Amino acid sequence: ESLEEAARRSPASQTSAREALADVYLQDGDYGRAINQLEALAALEPAKPDRVVAVGLTQARAGREDAAIVTLGRAVERFPDAPQAYAALGHVWLVGAQRRGDRVALSKAIEALGQAARRSDATSDTYAELGRAYLLFGDRLAGERALRQAVAKLPVPPDAYLQLADLTARDGRIQDARDALLKYATLMGDERPLANVATQIADYSVKLGDHALAVRWFDRAIDEGGPSATLQLKLAEAAWRAGDV
């Protein structure tokens, strides 16, 4: 109520109040009111592409995909040098393509994300989404190239390491897969349970003959996911091979 009052009293200058108000509406799931505030901000600051991008992404979150594509399509026309506009448009196309299994939408996602990725200031999130789009399209080489660009820029989206690990494991590159999972685990820390990732790291370590490291990660998998006969047996065998009788 305080933010609404602030926005009413100074509608032309209270951009901070409108930003905060939009955040509150988003947290409440009131997308209609959030979009109204974001559209007002875009009208107040028409030279800022981020304002239009915020409208389009919120429309997408609200399930208004067609409206989001129209909004973001206009954004890339108005701001052809803004990579965030292309990245947002590509994101919306990609989400829709994944949900519907739509290869036409997937091609559009690759095109938009590729435009964003060509800029020197492209973010690691853009590269990660481009990598995922290429993998869904079946272009594994281009997918890996984009994912490696994603993990080479800070801040790295943790899921890029998961995708890279899955890709390299499928190709039999176990060392690369384990390295990617180790970096993912380092980034995540204690933020979320890692029982499944810990088990994968341990399994890959066994294949690589690094039994001492396997013991550490089987221990973590058991600590976080609870004991099971399979994990206890794997831990025992890894410990035996590491010399811990």
Side-chain angles (χ1 to χ4, degrees):
E1 289 175 356
S2 298
L3 291 170
E4 287 171 344
E5 181 64 22
R8 276 195 298 270
R9 290 191 178 194
S10 304
S13 62
Q14 283 295 342
T15 56
S16 59
R18 289 187 181 278
E19 287 173 347
L21 195 53
D23 286 339
V24 171
Y25 288 144
L26 285 172
Q27 290 173 31
D28 286 345
D30 192 343
Y31 294 111
R33 288 186 177 182
I35 290 169
N36 289 339
Q37 294 301 323
L38 294 171
E39 287 177 336
L41 286 167
L44 288 170
E45 298 180 313
K48 290 188 175 181
D50 287 341
R51 295 301 192 193
V52 185
V53 167
V55 174
L57 290 176
T58 304
Q59 289 172 327
R61 287 179 62 182
R64 295 163 56 181
E65 184 180 325
D66 290 342
I69 288 171
V70 170
T71 298
L72 295 170
R74 289 173 179 167
V76 299
E77 291 174 0
R78 286 176 56 195
F79 307 103
D81 295 326
Q84 64 269 41
Y86 287 103
L89 180 59
H91 169 78
V92 174
W93 278 119
L94 179 58
V95 171
Q98 287 180 289
R99 186 178 65 253
R100 299 187 301 273
D102 185 343
R103 286 185 68 83
V104 174
L106 190 55
S107 296
K108 291 179 181 292
I110 290 172
E111 181 182 356
L113 291 166
Q115 286 283 354
R118 291 188 187 97
R119 292 290 301 268
S120 60
D121 53 350
T123 67
S124 54
D125 285 304
T126 295
Y127 286 117
E129 289 213 315
L130 180 59
R132 186 163 79 250
Y134 273 129
L135 292 178
L136 288 171
F137 199 74
D139 191 338
R140 296 170 65 83
L141 289 176
E144 181 173 353
R145 183 167 58 249
L147 289 174
R148 292 203 179 278
Q149 288 174 300
V151 300
K153 295 192 75 169
L154 296 176
V156 179
D159 284 355
Y161 281 118
L162 286 182
Q163 294 176 68
L164 194 55
D166 181 65
L167 174 63
T168 51
R170 288 173 184 269
D171 289 343
R173 290 175 281 159
I174 303 302
Q175 180 79 56
D176 287 345
R178 188 186 69 170
D179 288 348
L181 289 179
L182 285 169
K183 288 174 181 175
Y184 172 80
T186 300
L187 274 181
M188 297 308 301
D190 298 325
E191 188 175 325
R192 68 175 72 162
L194 293 175
N196 291 336
V197 170
T199 301
Q200 283 183 302
I201 292 172
D203 284 337
Y204 292 155
S205 297
V206 168
K207 291 180 179 180
L208 293 168
D210 194 347
H211 301 290
L213 187 63
V215 168
R216 284 175 47 198
W217 286 96
F218 280 134
D219 271 332
R220 180 164 179 178
I222 291 169
D223 287 343
E224 295 195 7
S228 69
T230 299
L231 283 177
Q232 293 291 153
L233 182 59
K234 287 183 175 183
L235 173 59
E237 182 150 356
W240 177 276
R241 291 180 179 276
D244 187 354
V245 179

